[in-house]
Amino acid sequence: SRPMPGRWNARAMAALHRALGRAPRAEGEGALGRWREAMLFVALSRPAALRLARRFRQAAVVLVPRGRPARLLFTGCPRGSHGPHASA
């Protein structure tokens, strides 16, 4: 992954919000050193989360099943690929 311009990120986040429809969500921010990035915590099934992550070219998602430890799930998207307009 690499930092993208602010306007690019804003468009991608708006597209993600539209794609989520009525799914319950909370917003947050991830940080590593000087890098900061908006994050969403969304209530979705594992298959739905993986489909959406692949559509938005995310390398991985964090699945947090109720009452169980969090798990990092890789999507199979190439590292460093970007863009909300991948095929669904």
Side-chain angles (χ1 to χ4, degrees):
S1 187
R2 65 178 194 250
M4 299 300 285
R7 287 178 59 178
W8 190 96
N9 280 330
R11 285 192 308 271
M13 189 61 83
L16 177 56
H17 277 283
R18 286 191 302 275
L20 287 168
R22 295 178 164 222
R25 70 198 80 167
E27 295 188 41
E29 182 179 80
L32 180 61
R34 293 183 358 204
W35 186 2
R36 301 226 175 316
E37 187 171 69
M39 299 172 68
L40 283 179
F41 304 91
V42 185
L44 294 173
S45 68
R46 177 183 172 152
L50 287 171
R51 273 193 308 273
L52 194 63
R54 288 181 185 118
R55 178 176 169 192
F56 282 82
R57 297 183 183 173
Q58 299 299 298
V61 295
V62 177
L63 184 67
V64 186
R66 188 169 296 173
R68 299 171 77 191
R71 293 180 49 203
L72 181 64
L73 300 175
F74 292 95
T75 64
C77 289
R79 277 186 58 164
S81 63
H82 288 59
H85 305 293
S87 60

